[in-house]
Amino acid sequence: MGLNPHETTPRCEVYELGIVPYAEAWAWQKSLVQRHRDGPQPDRLLLVEHPGVYTLGQGSTLDHLKRPPEQLPYPLFRTERGGEVTHHCLGQLVGYPILNLKRHQTDLHWYLRQLEEVLILTLAEFGVMAVRQPGLTGVWVGHCKLAAIGIKVSRWITMHGLALNVCPDLRGFEAIVPCGITDKPVGSLAQFCPEVTVDIVRPVVVKHFAAVFGVVPTTENVALLDL
Protein backbone atom coordinates (compact mmCIF):
# COMPACT_ATOMS: atom_id res chain seq x y z
CA MET A 1 0.00 0.00 0.00
CA GLY A 2 1.37 3.43 -0.91
CA LEU A 3 1.64 6.66 1.01
CA ASN A 4 -1.02 9.36 0.93
CA PRO A 5 0.80 12.71 0.57
CA HIS A 6 -2.21 14.53 2.07
CA GLU A 7 -2.14 12.63 5.38
CA THR A 8 -1.19 14.92 8.27
CA THR A 9 -0.63 12.14 10.82
CA PRO A 10 1.57 9.28 9.59
CA ARG A 11 -0.07 5.89 9.27
CA CYS A 12 1.48 2.72 10.62
CA GLU A 13 0.31 -0.61 9.24
CA VAL A 14 0.07 -3.19 12.05
CA TYR A 15 0.35 -6.89 11.21
CA GLU A 16 -0.69 -9.30 13.97
CA LEU A 17 0.94 -12.40 12.57
CA GLY A 18 0.55 -14.94 15.37
CA ILE A 19 3.15 -17.68 15.70
CA VAL A 20 5.85 -17.32 13.04
CA PRO A 21 9.18 -19.18 12.77
CA TYR A 22 12.06 -16.81 13.35
CA ALA A 23 13.64 -17.27 9.92
CA GLU A 24 10.35 -16.43 8.19
CA ALA A 25 9.80 -13.22 10.15
CA TRP A 26 13.44 -12.23 9.59
CA ALA A 27 13.00 -12.66 5.83
CA TRP A 28 9.83 -10.51 5.94
CA GLN A 29 11.72 -7.75 7.71
CA LYS A 30 14.53 -7.73 5.16
CA SER A 31 12.02 -7.64 2.30
CA LEU A 32 10.16 -4.70 3.84
CA VAL A 33 13.39 -2.79 4.46
CA GLN A 34 14.29 -3.29 0.80
CA ARG A 35 10.90 -1.83 -0.19
CA HIS A 36 11.82 1.37 1.65
CA ARG A 37 15.04 1.53 -0.34
CA ASP A 38 13.09 1.08 -3.57
CA GLY A 39 10.56 3.85 -2.90
CA PRO A 40 8.25 5.48 -0.32
CA GLN A 41 6.54 3.07 2.05
CA PRO A 42 4.29 3.43 5.11
CA ASP A 43 5.68 2.62 8.52
CA ARG A 44 4.87 -0.92 9.61
CA LEU A 45 4.82 -2.88 12.86
CA LEU A 46 4.97 -6.68 12.78
CA LEU A 47 3.78 -8.43 15.95
CA VAL A 48 4.64 -12.10 16.39
CA GLU A 49 5.44 -14.95 18.71
CA HIS A 50 8.32 -17.24 17.81
CA PRO A 51 8.77 -20.93 18.54
CA GLY A 52 11.91 -21.40 20.65
CA VAL A 53 15.04 -19.83 19.17
CA TYR A 54 18.25 -18.06 20.20
CA THR A 55 19.67 -15.07 18.35
CA LEU A 56 23.08 -13.41 18.44
CA GLY A 57 23.80 -9.77 17.69
CA GLN A 58 26.08 -8.90 14.83
CA GLY A 59 29.17 -8.31 16.93
CA SER A 60 28.50 -10.77 19.75
CA THR A 61 30.64 -13.82 20.52
CA LEU A 62 29.66 -17.25 21.78
CA ASP A 63 30.98 -16.40 25.23
CA HIS A 64 27.49 -15.94 26.66
CA LEU A 65 26.29 -19.40 25.62
CA LYS A 66 26.42 -21.86 28.52
CA ARG A 67 26.52 -24.78 26.09
CA PRO A 68 28.05 -25.40 22.66
CA PRO A 69 25.66 -24.25 19.91
CA GLU A 70 24.83 -27.81 18.89
CA GLN A 71 23.73 -28.60 22.45
CA LEU A 72 21.32 -25.70 22.82
CA PRO A 73 17.66 -26.73 23.15
CA TYR A 74 16.65 -24.46 20.24
CA PRO A 75 18.21 -23.26 16.97
CA LEU A 76 20.73 -20.41 17.01
CA PHE A 77 20.79 -17.53 14.48
CA ARG A 78 23.32 -14.75 14.04
CA THR A 79 21.55 -11.55 13.00
CA GLU A 80 22.47 -8.00 12.04
CA ARG A 81 20.95 -6.40 15.16
CA GLY A 82 23.00 -4.96 17.99
CA GLY A 83 23.39 -6.61 21.38
CA GLU A 84 24.32 -10.00 22.73
CA VAL A 85 22.49 -13.34 22.79
CA THR A 86 18.79 -13.51 23.59
CA HIS A 87 15.99 -16.06 23.55
CA HIS A 88 12.57 -15.92 21.87
CA CYS A 89 9.77 -18.34 22.66
CA LEU A 90 6.02 -18.71 22.83
CA GLY A 91 4.43 -16.41 25.38
CA GLN A 92 6.82 -13.61 24.44
CA LEU A 93 5.41 -10.76 22.33
CA VAL A 94 7.94 -9.65 19.72
CA GLY A 95 7.52 -6.38 17.83
CA TYR A 96 9.41 -5.52 14.65
CA PRO A 97 8.92 -1.87 13.65
CA ILE A 98 9.92 -1.14 10.06
CA LEU A 99 10.04 2.65 10.32
CA ASN A 100 11.60 5.45 8.32
CA LEU A 101 13.16 7.53 11.08
CA LYS A 102 13.35 10.51 8.74
CA ARG A 103 9.62 10.85 9.48
CA HIS A 104 10.33 10.82 13.22
CA GLN A 105 13.83 11.66 14.50
CA THR A 106 17.14 10.62 12.99
CA ASP A 107 18.57 9.74 16.38
CA LEU A 108 19.23 6.14 17.42
CA HIS A 109 19.28 6.92 21.14
CA TRP A 110 15.92 8.65 20.81
CA TYR A 111 14.54 5.60 18.99
CA LEU A 112 15.73 3.19 21.68
CA ARG A 113 14.25 5.34 24.43
CA GLN A 114 10.94 5.50 22.53
CA LEU A 115 10.77 1.71 22.32
CA GLU A 116 11.45 1.52 26.04
CA GLU A 117 8.69 4.06 26.66
CA VAL A 118 6.19 1.92 24.73
CA LEU A 119 7.01 -0.99 27.02
CA ILE A 120 6.97 1.07 30.23
CA LEU A 121 3.54 2.48 29.40
CA THR A 122 2.25 -0.97 28.44
CA LEU A 123 3.35 -2.55 31.70
CA ALA A 124 1.90 0.35 33.68
CA GLU A 125 -1.57 -0.57 32.39
CA PHE A 126 -1.17 -3.88 34.19
CA GLY A 127 -0.08 -2.20 37.40
CA VAL A 128 3.60 -2.98 36.88
CA MET A 129 5.91 0.01 37.33
CA ALA A 130 8.85 -0.67 35.03
CA VAL A 131 11.93 1.52 34.64
CA ARG A 132 15.10 1.93 32.61
CA GLN A 133 18.48 0.91 34.00
CA PRO A 134 21.31 3.45 33.52
CA GLY A 135 23.73 2.34 30.82
CA LEU A 136 21.55 -0.58 29.71
CA THR A 137 18.85 -1.06 27.09
CA GLY A 138 15.53 -2.69 27.95
CA VAL A 139 12.84 -2.47 30.61
CA TRP A 140 13.17 -3.60 34.21
CA VAL A 141 11.19 -4.13 37.38
CA GLY A 142 13.75 -3.82 40.14
CA HIS A 143 16.69 -5.90 38.95
CA CYS A 144 14.46 -8.18 36.86
CA LYS A 145 14.46 -7.66 33.08
CA LEU A 146 11.01 -8.03 31.50
CA ALA A 147 11.78 -6.79 27.99
CA ALA A 148 14.77 -6.74 25.65
CA ILE A 149 15.48 -4.41 22.72
CA GLY A 150 17.85 -4.96 19.82
CA ILE A 151 17.75 -2.96 16.61
CA LYS A 152 19.36 -2.50 13.23
CA VAL A 153 19.07 0.83 11.41
CA SER A 154 20.33 1.33 7.86
CA ARG A 155 19.71 4.57 5.92
CA TRP A 156 17.39 5.44 8.82
CA ILE A 157 15.14 2.40 8.14
CA THR A 158 14.67 0.25 11.23
CA MET A 159 14.40 -3.49 11.68
CA HIS A 160 14.46 -5.98 14.57
CA GLY A 161 12.95 -4.41 17.68
CA LEU A 162 11.53 -5.39 21.06
CA ALA A 163 10.61 -8.55 22.94
CA LEU A 164 8.30 -8.45 25.98
CA ASN A 165 8.12 -11.50 28.20
CA VAL A 166 4.39 -11.81 28.76
CA CYS A 167 3.84 -15.41 29.91
CA PRO A 168 6.74 -17.50 28.53
CA ASP A 169 8.44 -20.56 29.92
CA LEU A 170 11.61 -18.87 31.14
CA ARG A 171 13.65 -22.09 31.30
CA GLY A 172 14.98 -21.48 27.79
CA PHE A 173 16.98 -18.55 29.15
CA GLU A 174 18.93 -20.91 31.42
CA ALA A 175 21.18 -21.99 28.52
CA ILE A 176 22.50 -18.45 27.94
CA VAL A 177 23.56 -15.28 29.71
CA PRO A 178 20.73 -13.10 28.38
CA CYS A 179 22.07 -9.92 26.74
CA GLY A 180 25.41 -10.69 28.40
CA ILE A 181 24.13 -9.46 31.78
CA THR A 182 25.27 -11.81 34.54
CA ASP A 183 23.83 -10.19 37.66
CA LYS A 184 20.20 -9.48 36.74
CA PRO A 185 17.57 -12.19 36.13
CA VAL A 186 14.97 -12.38 33.37
CA GLY A 187 11.34 -12.15 34.40
CA SER A 188 7.85 -11.95 32.92
CA LEU A 189 4.65 -9.98 33.26
CA ALA A 190 2.89 -13.18 34.32
CA GLN A 191 4.91 -13.16 37.55
CA PHE A 192 2.95 -10.02 38.48
CA CYS A 193 -0.30 -10.75 36.59
CA PRO A 194 -0.78 -14.53 36.56
CA GLU A 195 -3.75 -14.57 34.15
CA VAL A 196 -2.17 -12.38 31.47
CA THR A 197 -1.78 -13.60 27.87
CA VAL A 198 -0.16 -12.33 24.71
CA ASP A 199 -3.62 -11.71 23.22
CA ILE A 200 -4.45 -9.39 26.12
CA VAL A 201 -1.17 -7.47 25.91
CA ARG A 202 -0.92 -7.09 22.12
CA PRO A 203 -3.53 -4.31 21.67
CA VAL A 204 -2.07 -2.41 24.61
CA VAL A 205 1.35 -2.42 22.91
CA VAL A 206 -0.23 -1.19 19.67
CA LYS A 207 -2.02 1.64 21.49
CA HIS A 208 1.12 2.90 23.20
CA PHE A 209 3.31 2.40 20.14
CA ALA A 210 0.92 4.64 18.21
CA ALA A 211 0.90 7.27 20.94
CA VAL A 212 4.66 7.32 21.50
CA PHE A 213 5.52 7.49 17.80
CA GLY A 214 2.64 9.77 16.85
CA VAL A 215 1.11 7.47 14.24
CA VAL A 216 -2.35 6.19 13.39
CA PRO A 217 -2.34 2.36 13.56
CA THR A 218 -4.27 0.39 10.96
CA THR A 219 -4.65 -3.36 11.37
CA GLU A 220 -3.76 -5.06 8.10
CA ASN A 221 -4.23 -8.51 6.64
CA VAL A 222 -1.00 -10.48 6.29
CA ALA A 223 -1.82 -11.09 2.63
CA LEU A 224 -1.14 -7.40 2.00
CA LEU A 225 2.52 -8.01 2.74
CA ASP A 226 2.62 -10.00 -0.52
CA LEU A 227 5.92 -11.62 0.39
Side-chain angles (χ1 to χ4, degrees), residues 74-126:
Y74 303 109
L76 176 69
F77 291 86
R78 182 175 293 280
T79 75
E80 59 277 87
R81 66 165 174 81
E84 297 292 337
V85 65
T86 195
H87 173 50
H88 299 303
C89 59
L90 300 181
Q92 181 191 76
L93 179 60
V94 180
Y96 295 125
I98 313 295
L99 309 181
N100 184 344
L101 290 183
K102 292 180 181 178
R103 300 190 193 120
H104 303 279
Q105 286 195 39
T106 52
D107 183 327
L108 299 188
H109 293 288
W110 173 88
Y111 179 54
L112 289 168
R113 302 296 82 79
Q114 296 298 94
L115 293 178
E116 290 170 345
E117 187 67 12
V118 171
L119 294 163
I120 289 169
L121 292 172
T122 296
L123 291 168
E125 287 217 15
F126 296 92

Side-chain angles (χ1 to χ4, degrees), residues 11-211:
R11 176 168 53 89
C12 181
E13 296 180 358
V14 177
Y15 295 85
E16 300 179 359
L17 302 172
I19 298 172
V20 180
Y22 184 83
E24 186 173 346
W26 191 15
W28 284 349
Q29 291 182 73
K30 289 185 280 190
S31 176
L32 292 173
V33 167
Q34 184 58 51
R35 289 189 188 185
H36 276 275
R37 293 172 179 162
D38 293 340
Q41 293 287 312
D43 288 338
R44 295 183 173 96
L45 174 63
L46 312 184
L47 294 171
V48 303
E49 290 179 74
H50 291 310
V53 68
Y54 298 101
T55 69
L56 293 164
Q58 187 172 28
S60 63
T61 70
L62 302 181
D63 294 347
H64 298 301
L65 303 182
K66 295 181 180 179
R67 307 177 190 177
E70 64 275 11
Q71 294 181 16
L72 291 171
Y74 303 109
L76 176 69
F77 291 86
R78 182 175 293 280
T79 75
E80 59 277 87
R81 66 165 174 81
E84 297 292 337
V85 65
T86 195
H87 173 50
H88 299 303
C89 59
L90 300 181
Q92 181 191 76
L93 179 60
V94 180
Y96 295 125
I98 313 295
L99 309 181
N100 184 344
L101 290 183
K102 292 180 181 178
R103 300 190 193 120
H104 303 279
Q105 286 195 39
T106 52
D107 183 327
L108 299 188
H109 293 288
W110 173 88
Y111 179 54
L112 289 168
R113 302 296 82 79
Q114 296 298 94
L115 293 178
E116 290 170 345
E117 187 67 12
V118 171
L119 294 163
I120 289 169
L121 292 172
T122 296
L123 291 168
E125 287 217 15
F126 296 92
V128 176
M129 298 299 105
V131 298
R132 299 173 176 89
Q133 288 277 359
L136 299 172
T137 300
V139 171
W140 314 73
V141 177
H143 292 293
C144 191
K145 189 172 187 179
L146 267 63
I149 295 172
I151 64 170
K152 167 70 175 179
V153 179
S154 176
R155 302 181 189 177
W156 298 113
I157 307 302
T158 70
M159 63 182 296
H160 298 288
L162 55 87
L164 174 61
N165 293 332
V166 178
C167 53
D169 182 343
L170 295 175
R171 288 177 294 180
F173 287 96
E174 295 173 1
I176 62 172
V177 180
C179 303
I181 300 171
T182 59
D183 61 343
K184 295 179 175 63
V186 172
S188 71
L189 178 55
Q191 292 171 319
F192 303 90
C193 303
E195 303 302 319
V196 76
T197 66
V198 170
D199 288 341
I200 292 171
V201 173
R202 189 184 300 108
V204 182
V205 168
V206 171
K207 179 179 75 171
H208 290 299
F209 184 90

